Amino acid sequence: MDQPFLLYSFPRAILHVDGDAFFASVEMSVNPALKGRPLVTGQERGIIACASYEAKALGIRRGVPLREARRLCPGLVVLPSDYETYSLYSRRMFDIMLRHTPMVEEYSIDEGFADITGLRRIARAPYEAIARRIQQDIRRELDLGVSIGLSLTKTLAKLASKARKPAGLLAVPGRDIHRFLQTLTLDKVWGFGPNTVQLLAKLGLATAFDFASRPEAWAARVLGKTGREIWNELRGVSAHPVLAAEKPTQASLSKGKTFPAPSADPDYIRAALLRNVESAFIKLRRIRLRARKMAVVLRERDYGQQGLETELPRATSATHEALPAVEAMFGRLYRPGVEYRATMIILTRIEPDRVEQPDLFEDRAAIEKFKAVSRAIDETGTRFGKHAISLGSGLFLRQGPESERSRQPERKTRLLPGETARRRLPIPYLAIRV
């Protein structure tokens, strides 16, 4: 069939900008000597977080254990994840996009959407040329490759960028949507999981075009509201506009830490959990939220995990107010002699930290003391760095197990003048010889 869904080329122009092997590419940008070498990040976890395209060519993928990756490539470059630097590059990538259009939506650390509809006159260029400028600016200023998809909806733009990785650019105008969808199997469609793909295959569908060619009522009957939205998006009718506004208040907040090596030491495991609790509540206060419910998770050496959840007497952002419940859950979960590899705290039932109505039976004096302690922690942290004041249990973190996974990113070990391990300037450390 060669009958187009739409006759208009670009009634809307939506870009999807996707970083190519983003974490690995940032490492190569910071240290050009690594370019062209098979490289992975995730040393601190023992599992690959990101693989460069040179590593992917050898069959190395995200989620593969490092021992298996080293078997496939003995000369593999393995680095600890430097999320601080990745975040800086991410922010700069989105700033470049914002120079071209104010309508930018951050979808994740390494990908986002941009609405450039109507900007051809200002830019004095067609939409594809605007997309190319963004791609070239990111390459020139950050030395990063990105793939860009240009089409009428977010779904089509994302599918187009994936079809041209790495460092590609694909424009799918309205009159060519039907041809593009004929090249995509169902498993490539954003929003279709394995179960949905199997269901549609049993109904005789093989490609995205097969799905989009069915009536809208059929898509809604088979897959509900989601099916209707995907059907419209695939045909060039936007169901999910680009949202430039800040993301809505999060429904949960979690902090976790994988140990450098598994440990059965109760003092160390407890200290690691309490440090997660401190970090979670510091962030909660920074974004002016409070939580009423929380869960504690202990992950064992064999990746099995146990957890408990509890509801606090009142929503709070004060670390010390939550500690008794955390200690109680840890006491119930910890099993002597069992080796653990990670701890996690998850905060839920999150709400804005507004002026509260006092309860007649609560201990108001204790609550105010907890708040005063939290303020002192935050003020000291602002001046001297996060965890400048911390629980005494943190001393046990210094005697934790050591392994190659204890290695820190260079940005945390090679400090600039005046920096500390906790307070660093928001600039990357470039390993460039001059």
Side-chain angles (χ1 to χ4, degrees):
M1 177 182 177
D2 202 39
Q3 180 66 37
F5 294 144
L6 289 174
L7 297 177
Y8 299 104
S9 294
F10 285 106
R12 285 169 308 281
I14 307 299
L15 297 181
H16 179 250
V17 180
D18 191 3
D20 298 324
F22 187 72
F23 295 171
S25 296
V26 170
E27 295 289 354
M28 292 178 182
S29 175
V30 169
N31 185 358
L34 298 174
K35 289 185 176 182
R37 301 176 63 184
L39 178 152
V40 299
T41 66
Q43 184 177 30
E44 75 287 353
R45 300 168 54 204
I47 297 175
I48 292 173
C50 180
S52 68
Y53 280 91
E54 293 80 1
K56 290 179 180 179
L58 301 173
I60 298 171
R61 295 288 186 272
R62 179 181 179 182
V64 172
L66 284 177
R67 61 179 181 276
E68 174 65 16
R70 286 195 173 101
R71 184 187 66 78
L72 293 171
C73 179
L76 186 67
V77 178
V78 181
L79 298 175
S81 300
D82 185 359
Y83 292 108
E84 180 179 6
T85 298
Y86 305 156
S87 296
L88 291 173
Y89 270 74
S90 173
R91 182 65 268 155
R92 293 181 182 184
M93 182 179 78
F94 285 111
D95 285 344
I96 291 172
M97 293 169 63
L98 284 165
R99 293 209 303 257
H100 293 267
T101 172
M103 295 297 294
V104 173
E105 178 182 341
E106 298 182 27
Y107 184 71
S108 69
I109 190 173
D110 63 345
E111 61 177 311
F113 296 95
D115 189 335
I116 59 172
T117 307
L119 296 182
R120 286 179 294 191
R121 180 174 297 178
I122 295 176
R124 296 185 179 180
Y127 290 133
E128 190 169 349
I130 298 173
R132 183 72 66 185
R133 288 175 186 174
I134 293 174
Q135 187 180 50
Q136 292 172 345
D137 287 351
I138 293 172
R139 169 62 76 182
R140 184 179 64 256
E141 298 180 30
L142 301 181
D143 196 17
L144 293 180
V146 296
S147 298
I148 297 184
L150 165 64
S151 195
L152 282 66
T153 67
K154 289 166 73 172
T155 296
L156 287 171
K158 187 174 175 72
L159 293 174
S161 70
K162 297 296 183 185
R164 286 293 185 271
K165 293 186 76 70
L169 191 158
L170 177 62
V172 182
R175 62 179 180 273
D176 291 336
I177 290 174
H178 63 296
R179 296 192 185 96
F180 176 59
L181 296 184
Q182 289 171 15
T183 68
L184 298 176
T185 54
L186 291 169
D187 60 301
K188 302 294 185 183
V189 177
W190 186 30
F192 284 173
N195 291 334
T196 299
V197 170
Q198 290 192 26
L199 169 62
L200 295 177
K202 288 180 172 62
L203 296 174
L205 279 61
T207 66
F209 177 77
D210 294 338
F211 177 79
S213 297
R214 294 294 182 98
E216 181 179 7
W218 180 90
R221 185 171 67 254
V222 174
L223 299 179
K225 179 175 179 288
T226 299
R228 185 189 299 274
E229 292 174 348
I230 294 175
W231 185 90
N232 277 285
E233 287 265 323
L234 290 177
R235 293 177 66 96
V237 179
S238 178
H240 303 290
V242 173
L243 301 175
E246 294 183 2
K247 296 179 180 178
T249 299
Q250 57 197 93
S252 65
L253 189 157
S254 63
K255 288 289 182 179
K257 185 71 174 178
T258 300
F259 307 157
S263 173
D265 181 352
D267 292 328
Y268 175 76
I269 298 166
R270 173 177 170 272
L273 173 63
L274 294 182
R275 178 56 56 89
N276 291 337
V277 173
E278 290 180 284
S279 297
F281 276 89
I282 287 172
K283 181 173 182 179
L284 203 65
R285 293 192 294 272
R286 188 174 73 247
I287 56 182
R288 298 180 182 179
L289 299 174
R290 59 191 180 197
R292 185 178 292 275
K293 210 168 187 177
M294 63 183 181
V296 165
V297 178
L298 301 184
R299 181 169 297 165
E300 300 171 9
R301 185 188 186 100
D302 62 359
Y303 293 97
Q305 62 184 34
Q306 304 293 326
L308 285 173
E309 185 180 65
T310 189
E311 186 161 347
L312 299 170
R314 56 186 293 279
T316 183
S317 62
T319 310
H320 290 71
E321 197 169 352
L323 286 179
V326 174
E327 295 275 19
M329 287 188 284
F330 175 76
R332 293 175 58 189
L333 288 172
Y334 173 75
R335 292 184 293 160
V338 174
E339 289 192 323
Y340 294 91
R341 66 167 56 247
T343 63
M344 180 179 289
I345 178 77
I346 305 169
L347 305 178
T348 55
R349 294 279 304 277
I350 291 178
E351 61 187 50
D353 195 0
R354 303 190 183 98
V355 176
E356 54 190 335
Q357 180 68 36
D359 188 277
L360 181 62
F361 300 103
E362 65 188 11
D363 188 345
R364 204 62 217 171
I367 291 172
E368 292 303 323
K369 287 180 181 178
F370 290 141
K371 288 184 175 181
V373 170
S374 294
R375 283 195 297 271
I377 291 172
D378 296 340
E379 290 169 3
T380 306
T382 299
R383 291 189 60 191
F384 301 106
K386 186 178 175 184
H387 299 306
I389 295 180
S390 63
L391 298 171
S393 60
L395 296 173
F396 290 103
L397 294 174
R398 301 176 183 176
Q399 61 189 48
E402 293 291 330
S403 75
E404 66 166 8
R405 291 164 60 183
S406 305
R407 179 184 167 196
Q408 294 289 315
E410 280 199 65
R411 188 63 184 91
K412 291 188 176 183
T413 56
R414 300 180 65 185
L415 303 176
L416 298 172
E419 292 185 321
T420 68
R422 282 291 178 186
R423 290 178 63 84
R424 293 179 294 280
L425 296 173
I427 57 175
Y429 194 109
L430 303 179
I432 299 177
R433 294 181 179 179
V434 295

